[in-house]
Amino acid sequence: QARLAEAHREAWIGEIEGLEVSLNGAKQKLALLDTGKSTRTTATNLGMPGFAQIAGRSGTAALPTPAI
C-alpha cells in the first residue's frame, strides 16, 4: 500500500495499475486462506507399499544353499 501511495504521489500511471492488480490479487489470496477453502478436508491415500513389496521377497522362499 505504501508503494501504491508513492506511485500516486509521483504520478507513475503504469506503476499504479500494476500495483493495484497485485494488491487486489494479494487481498483475494488472503481472503481465501482466511476462509479455509484452500486446504483439503480429507486425506489422500498415497498407496504406500508394504514392507514385503519393497524388500524384494516375501520371506517364504528358501535361500539357496552355498556350494561347499
Side-chain angles (χ1 to χ4, degrees):
Q1 290 175 341
R3 290 175 56 195
L4 186 57
E6 179 185 11
H8 278 288
R9 188 174 55 251
E10 299 294 331
W12 297 331
I13 305 302
E15 189 73 11
I16 292 170
E17 184 178 354
L19 289 170
E20 286 175 344
V21 168
S22 296
L23 183 59
N24 288 335
K27 286 180 180 180
Q28 288 176 353
K29 179 76 172 196
L30 288 172
L32 181 66
L33 291 172
D34 287 341
T35 61
K37 290 181 181 177
S38 66
T39 59
R40 295 189 138 198
T41 57
T42 59
T44 301
N45 183 1
L46 298 177
M48 296 296 289
F51 179 75
Q53 293 170 317
I54 60 174
R57 58 184 141 154
S58 65
T60 59
L63 293 174
T65 56
I68 299 180

